[in-house]
Amino acid sequence: MVSSMARTQGYISGVENSGMLNSIPLPTNAVFGTDGIRGKVGDLLNAPLALQVGFWAGVVLRNYATVPGPIILGQDSRNSSDMLAMALSAGLTAAGLEVWYLGLCPTPCVAYLASITDAIGGIMISASHNPPEDNGIKIFDAQGGKLSKALQGEIEAGLRGQLSPDLRINNCGRHYSRPELIKTYSQSIQTPLASGLTLEGMKIVLDLAWGAAVGLGPAVFRSMGAEVICLHDQADGDRINVNCGSTHLDILQAAVIEHQADMGFAFDGDADRVLAVDNTGRSVNGDYILYLWGRHLQQKQQLPDNLIVSTVMANLGFERAWEQRGGKLIRTAVGDQYVQAEMQKTGGMLGGEQSGHILCSHYAMTGDGLLTALHIAAVVKEANLSLGEMVDQSFQTYPQILRNVRVLDRERRLGWESCQPVQQAIAIAEVAMGDHGRILVRASGTEPVIRVMVEAANAELVHHWTNELVAKVEEHLA
C-alpha cells in the first residue's frame, strides 16, 4: 500500500512506509492550535490522524534527541482516549520508539515524567475543559515544556506529505504499561510542602470533573492531612466536564457552604488548571491565585523582579493592585505556552491565566492544577487567615464580561480580523471608553467560538459595548 506521498527510505514492520496520509483530509489552516491538536472526535481527530501524528512526532522528536529514549504517553477519561492512545502508540512504535504508557493521569504528570526520565518527549491525550465529544493531543519536549512551534511545524509538514526523512527503521518499538510511574509525580508535588507544613485541620472540597485527577487529587490532599470531600470523583468519559469542574463552579460553591469547608478546588478534565472557591462560596479565579501566590513568594524574596507573567485576559484591577505592591505584570497572548515562553525569556518564576493555568518555575515546567491547589491551601494555612479574608485584602476586579459567539466555519473564525464591520465596531468602542476600559476579541484556539471580552471601571459601559460587539460578530461572522 504505497501512496503518492514522498517515501521514507526504510521499512516499518516489514512494510514500506506509505504514510496513508493522502486518505486523511486536513484543513487548510494549521492542524496545531494554541494547545496542540484539538477537535471533535470523528471529524479531524480520528484514529488514522492519531497514527500519523504518532509516527511523525516520533520521527521529529527522535531526530532532535541527543540520546535515544522512550515517549511518555498518558490520557484523560474520555471514551475516545483509549482509541487515540492505541493509535498514537502504533505510530510511535512504527517510528521505532519505545512507549511508556501511563493510562489515566493528569497532563502535568506526563510533562514531569518526560523531564526527569530519559524520555525524549511526552504526549497527553485530552481536550482539557472541552466537552466529552472532543479530544486532543498535546506534545511535550524532553524538558517537559510544550513542544515549540518549529517542531510542531515539522510534524505538520510530515502530516501533509512534505517531509521525506532519510531514515531506516529496522525494528519496531515496544509498548510498555508503566502506571507505577504516576507515584513519582504524586510524590514530587507533595515534597516541596513536606518541611513541617501539613494541611491538618483544613476541610477541602475537590471537584474532579469526572476526569484525570479522580485518583490522585483526593490522595495527595489526604496525604497532606486535609479532610477531603469529593465531587465527580470517578473516571467517566460520558460526563467529563459536563456541568462540573473548573468551567462550572456552582456545585462546588454550594458544597463548600453546605460542608462549612475552608475552601474548594475545581479542576478541568486533565487537571492542568484549577479554580478555587473561598470559605464564603465565592469564586477565586487565576488572577487572585497569581496575586496571592505572588505576594507569598514576594514576601519570601523568591520572586525575581517582583514579576508575574499573565495574558491579555488579566483583569486591570489585578494589574494595578500588583503594581501598587511594587510588582510588574507582563501580558502575553492567551495560552499557557505563551506565558511559559515569556517566563523563560524574562526569567519570571510565576505566571498563568485567569482561567486557572498557573505555572511556577520553582516547582514545575508546565501548568499544574494539583500542585497549584496544594500551594494555595498551604499559603492560606501559613497565613492563619481564611481564604475569604485573603481575597478581601487583595484587590477589587474591574467589571468584565466574556461572551462566546459560536462560529462553526473554521476559516471564517480564524480570519475574523479581516471583517471590516467588526473592526469598525471595535474601534468605535475603544474610542468611547478611552483609558477607562479595554476590549479583547479573539478566535479561540480550542473551541469553535470567537471570544468577546469587555472590561471597564463602569459596569454599564461593559454591558453596553459587550452587547454591541457580540451583535456585530453574530451578524457578520456567525
Side-chain angles (χ1 to χ4, degrees):
M1 76 184 159
V2 180
S3 75
S4 59
M5 179 182 122
R7 303 177 181 178
T8 65
Q9 299 203 357
Y11 287 82
I12 300 175
S13 300
V15 180
E16 192 170 2
N17 174 35
S18 67
M20 297 177 290
L21 182 61
N22 291 340
S23 63
I24 302 175
L26 294 176
T28 56
N29 302 103
V31 173
F32 282 88
T34 57
D35 197 14
I37 301 171
R38 191 176 300 187
K40 186 176 181 180
V41 177
D43 292 343
L44 169 66
L45 202 60
N46 52 34
L49 176 69
L51 177 69
Q52 288 294 323
V53 170
F55 175 75
W56 288 109
V59 169
V60 170
L61 288 170
R62 192 181 63 176
N63 285 347
Y64 284 89
T66 54
V67 294
I71 295 287
I72 306 293
L73 178 62
Q75 68 175 73
D76 70 13
S77 60
R78 294 167 202 273
N79 294 337
S80 59
S81 290
D82 287 347
M83 174 266 291
L84 293 174
M86 295 306 100
L88 280 162
S89 184
L92 290 164
T93 53
L97 295 179
E98 188 172 293
V99 176
W100 290 359
Y101 176 58
L102 305 177
L104 183 71
C105 68
T107 288
C109 176
V110 172
Y112 174 75
L113 291 172
S115 72
I116 67 158
T117 65
D118 293 330
I120 62 173
I123 299 179
M124 178 68 182
I125 303 159
S126 177
S128 295
H129 63 282
N130 282 33
E133 60 269 22
D134 291 349
N135 216 325
I137 300 171
K138 305 181 183 184
I139 307 178
F140 297 90
D141 60 28
Q143 288 73 47
K146 295 286 181 70
L147 200 65
S148 70
K149 290 291 186 182
L151 294 191
Q152 288 182 6
E154 289 197 29
I155 294 171
E156 184 150 343
L159 294 175
R160 296 185 182 278
Q162 298 165 358
L163 288 185
S164 180
D166 184 13
L167 57 86
R168 180 170 292 278
I169 302 172
N170 296 317
N171 297 299
C172 291
R174 298 287 301 277
H175 175 104
Y176 296 97
S177 182
R178 299 294 307 274
E180 77 281 359
L181 294 174
I182 298 174
K183 294 180 182 178
T184 304
Y185 162 73
S186 175
Q187 293 167 355
S188 76
I189 62 175
Q190 297 175 64
T191 299
L193 300 174
S195 56
L197 177 68
T198 73
L199 302 181
E200 290 183 6
M202 301 188 83
K203 184 186 293 185
I204 298 174
V205 184
L206 302 179
D207 184 343
L208 290 312
W210 309 114
V214 294
L216 278 181
V220 296
F221 273 91
R222 288 177 178 137
S223 178
M224 293 298 298
E227 178 184 348
V228 179
I229 298 162
C230 293
L231 306 173
H232 316 118
D233 60 342
Q234 301 296 317
D236 191 329
D238 290 319
R239 293 189 286 179
I240 184 171
N241 296 321
V242 177
N243 299 320
C244 62
S246 61
T247 55
H248 297 84
L249 294 180
D250 52 329
I251 297 177
L252 176 62
Q253 290 171 308
V256 168
I257 294 173
E258 177 188 351
H259 294 282
Q260 297 182 329
D262 293 286
M263 66 194 72
F265 294 105
F267 305 93
D268 63 343
D270 67 336
D272 67 347
R273 73 181 192 178
V274 65
L275 294 179
V277 169
D278 71 16
N279 52 296
T280 71
R282 178 174 47 181
S283 63
V284 180
N285 67 21
D287 287 348
Y288 284 101
I289 291 171
L290 286 171
Y291 183 92
L292 295 177
W293 201 355
R295 184 174 64 184
H296 179 78
L297 294 172
Q298 184 187 48
Q299 291 169 347
K300 292 182 176 296
Q301 298 184 329
Q302 295 178 350
L303 194 66
D305 300 323
N306 294 327
L307 172 65
I308 293 177
V309 178
S310 191
T311 75
V312 290
M313 295 299 295
N315 193 276
L316 277 173
F318 164 38
E319 180 177 20
R320 292 178 179 175
W322 185 243
E323 289 173 345
Q324 288 175 0
R325 289 190 59 85
K328 178 181 179 183
L329 182 73
I330 294 179
R331 295 177 183 267
T332 73
V334 173
D336 60 328
Q337 62 178 313
Y338 300 112
V339 173
Q340 184 183 56
E342 186 66 25
M343 290 172 66
Q344 292 172 340
K345 175 183 173 183
T346 60
M349 299 303 290
L350 181 66
E353 299 185 274
Q354 192 180 78
S355 60
H357 280 115
I358 309 296
L359 298 92
C360 186
S361 298
H362 288 298
Y363 308 109
M365 278 293 295
T366 191
D368 191 327
L370 285 175
L371 184 148
T372 298
L374 284 171
H375 277 268
I376 292 302
V379 166
V380 173
K381 182 70 179 291
E382 190 172 331
N384 200 28
L385 295 169
S386 70
L387 179 55
E389 289 171 327
M390 295 184 73
V391 169
D392 288 339
Q393 296 171 11
S394 57
F395 63 90
Q396 289 292 322
T397 59
Y398 278 32
Q400 182 187 88
I401 294 178
L402 174 64
R403 295 265 296 275
N404 293 329
V405 181
R406 196 166 181 84
V407 180
L408 296 178
D409 188 308
R410 178 183 171 92
E411 293 190 19
R412 180 179 293 183
R413 183 172 73 249
L414 297 182
W416 75 269
E417 290 176 287
S418 63
C419 180
Q420 288 305 309
V422 171
Q423 291 289 2
Q424 289 170 2
I426 293 172
I428 291 170
E430 288 177 335
V431 170
M433 289 196 298
D435 293 335
H436 299 290
R438 65 190 187 99
I439 294 165
L440 177 65
V441 178
R442 67 182 185 89
S444 170
T446 59
E447 298 177 79
V449 298
I450 289 178
R451 306 195 195 279
V452 177
M453 188 275 286
V454 180
E455 180 180 271
N458 185 298
E460 291 183 6
L461 282 177
V462 175
H463 283 280
H464 173 75
W465 290 113
T466 300
N467 290 335
E468 289 287 320
L469 294 174
V470 166
K472 285 293 181 182
V473 172
E474 289 177 336
E475 179 183 355
H476 296 282
L477 294 171

